[in-house]
Amino acid sequence: MRQSRSSTNRVTRRRLLSVSGALALTAACGSNTGRDGGRDGGAGGGPALDHWYHQYGEAGTEQAVRRYASAYRKARVNVQWRPGNYDQQTAAALLTRSAPDVFEGWPTLDQIRGGQVADLTGLLTGVRDDFHPAVLAPKTYQGKVYGIPQVIDTQALYYRKSLLDKAGVRPPRTLDELIDAAKALTTKHVKGLFLGNDGGAGVLGATPLRAAGLEPVTSDGEVGFDDPRAARTLGKLHRFHADGSLLLGAPTDWSDPSAFVQGLTAMQWTGLWALPGIQRALGDDFGVLPFPEDGPQGRPSVPVGAYGAAVSARSGHVEAAKAYVKWLWVERTDYQRDFALSYGFHIPARLSLAKKTAVLAEGPAADAVRFATDYGYAGPLLWTDRSLTAFQDALSRIIIDGADPAAQLRPVIATTRAELKRVRS
């Protein structure tokens, strides 16, 4: 990497699902911190705080976060909307005095261990259990929290009910059933399954490992897929390509539901954000499923992701910045609900909010929320970019070329083991 862990070209919240691990730290960016008394936001008194966001693609998001900042009364908050390679900009700024007080992001292990981000554990006193543990875990190191989740994105397997009924196929509950269903649903004009134009290596990542009951990195910091089950499960993914049931070369990639709603595929792996558009196009002629389990030790697998609000340890107003983050992403549940659902379709990071949100309480949306709650996982903090890239490259060769899974995984295991040793040193 730094290839994106998402195949989409638009910069939106959906890219969170593929963000984790270490960033390549580059030379410092410019010295314009925006700490000029809050010319773009913040009508309140107190210190001036600079708050960075990446440039979202969803209309209205920028106006919303500026409105939130203007409502804060204990500091003058200047929102900076950052186009371009946001992750790289932020990583560079955190090494300098140009660092923002508050930034949206995914604090990396290198940033945490390097003392670049502040400990935010105390902001969650009394409410920590109300945040989805899967999205909180990658922001937690040695029991301390370094980022407050803002919103949850998740992925699911969408299927066309009428096409499955016509083919006499039931919604697949295991990987073997998914392989058989994709083949049965493939016709002259419709492919059975769309996992992205690269065959699925980019978007699936560690999802198949989880389906086999494995992890990329275990809870005690060891390689989690040095196990015959990994090769067995990953090897099955080539069947989709060998059977000719994978849609490849679609006009848009996995993050866009166009291939599904236009009838080019009977099943597609895509995000929750796509659900409203699919519903408008297809009515109730679709359902959603988690990635299916594989083997007796397997389990359904649902990737989730969430950018978080973090505080730079170089800020001259660390405590004021923490207070602002707590106000916005812990206390102001009305803003949290607005941010999740008014400018796209996402799950509030607090579980209690998701349960009380009407549009998430019925139909496929409710199913997706339940799957994310029951089976959701996020890439571990110790699963670095180098490890992920090696894994994705191997997965691509397995899916498309039919390369031997065990042979492909051996160097990935070695790379991951070396990375775990590096980050512990």
Side-chain angles (χ1 to χ4, degrees):
M1 249 159 151
R2 181 95 224 157
Q3 73 182 55
S4 171
R5 297 189 182 188
S6 166
S7 302
T8 181
N9 291 323
R10 286 180 57 204
V11 182
T12 69
R13 276 172 277 191
R14 66 197 62 178
R15 69 194 290 274
L16 316 180
L17 288 169
S18 44
V19 175
S20 69
L23 294 172
L25 300 180
T26 61
C29 62
S31 60
N32 177 17
T33 66
R35 295 179 186 140
D36 57 359
R39 66 175 180 269
D40 290 326
L49 301 177
D50 191 33
H51 188 174
W52 284 16
Y53 288 88
H54 85 281
Q55 184 180 24
Y56 286 94
E58 290 118 330
T61 309
E62 180 180 1
Q63 292 76 12
V65 297
R66 292 189 185 281
R67 174 167 50 86
Y68 306 157
S70 295
Y72 191 59
R73 298 302 174 206
K74 295 182 180 180
R76 302 185 307 280
V77 181
N78 173 52
V79 169
Q80 287 202 25
W81 202 247
R82 309 286 296 191
N85 191 330
Y86 175 81
D87 291 336
Q88 196 170 56
Q89 292 175 38
T90 305
L94 288 174
L95 297 173
T96 75
R97 295 189 181 278
S98 298
D101 300 283
V102 179
F103 67 95
E104 175 188 64
W106 193 299
T108 69
L109 186 60
D110 287 342
Q111 291 165 357
I112 293 169
R113 295 179 72 224
Q116 298 170 32
V117 289
D119 175 8
L120 305 183
T121 310
L123 306 191
L124 296 182
T125 301
V127 297
R128 185 166 177 169
D129 290 345
D130 196 32
F131 283 81
H132 195 306
V135 294
L136 197 59
K139 300 167 181 60
T140 305
Y141 181 63
Q142 295 182 343
K144 297 179 180 179
V145 177
Y146 291 90
I148 305 301
Q150 298 174 174
V151 69
I152 298 172
D153 274 319
T154 187
Q155 299 167 9
L157 179 67
Y158 289 74
Y159 64 93
R160 188 79 174 265
K161 291 180 180 179
S162 59
L163 294 181
L164 268 66
D165 289 344
K166 183 178 179 181
V169 173
R170 70 175 187 175
R173 304 291 176 173
T174 68
L175 181 55
D176 290 331
E177 288 182 2
L178 178 60
I179 292 167
D180 292 341
K183 184 176 181 179
L185 291 164
T186 297
T187 68
K188 183 178 180 181
H189 302 291
V190 179
K191 289 291 187 178
L193 180 63
F194 184 41
L195 297 174
N197 285 323
D198 66 353
V203 64
L204 290 181
T207 301
L209 294 180
R210 292 273 303 184
L214 302 171
E215 303 283 349
V217 178
T218 65
S219 59
D220 56 355
E222 301 295 334
V223 176
F225 55 98
D226 188 3
D227 187 292
R229 285 179 288 163
R232 182 201 67 200
T233 294
L234 298 187
K236 290 183 180 183
L237 300 180
H238 177 62
R239 288 266 309 277
F240 294 121
H241 185 71
D243 291 344
S245 57
L246 274 185
L247 175 64
L248 299 171
T252 58
D253 215 335
W254 69 270
S255 62
D256 190 302
S258 297
F260 184 67
V261 299
Q262 292 172 8
L264 301 180
T265 181
M267 299 183 290
Q268 178 175 337
W269 185 259
T270 188
L272 179 65
W273 56 82
L275 194 148
I278 292 173
Q279 201 156 38
R280 286 192 296 271
L282 301 180
D284 62 357
D285 187 22
F286 76 98
V288 297
L289 292 170
F291 192 88
E293 63 188 42
D294 185 47
Q297 295 173 279
R299 57 195 163 185
S301 182
V302 178
V304 296
Y307 256 150
V311 172
S312 168
R314 288 181 176 266
S315 168
H317 307 289
V318 170
E319 293 307 314
K322 287 183 179 181
Y324 164 62
V325 169
K326 182 177 182 179
W327 172 84
L328 180 55
W329 296 118
V330 179
E331 297 173 354
R332 287 303 300 258
T333 55
D334 54 338
Y335 287 165
Q336 293 157 34
R337 185 184 289 108
D338 179 67
F339 191 64
L341 293 161
S342 296
Y343 318 100
F345 201 71
H346 316 272
I347 304 172
R350 294 189 61 170
L351 300 173
S352 59
L353 287 183
K355 292 176 182 177
K356 293 186 290 186
T357 301
V359 295
L360 298 175
E362 58 184 14
D367 292 336
V369 171
R370 176 167 53 85
F371 297 148
T373 302
D374 293 347
Y375 309 124
Y377 82 93
L381 188 62
L382 296 176
W383 182 236
T384 67
D385 280 350
R386 188 179 176 200
S387 299
L388 174 66
T389 300
F391 181 80
Q392 287 179 319
D393 289 346
L395 186 56
S396 179
R397 292 188 289 269
I398 293 168
I399 294 174
I400 301 298
D401 301 331
D404 178 68
Q408 291 297 316
L409 284 176
R410 279 194 288 272
V412 181
I413 291 167
T415 295
T416 303
R417 190 166 283 128
E419 280 293 278
L420 291 171
K421 181 178 180 180
R422 178 186 69 83
V423 298
R424 289 175 179 151
S425 62

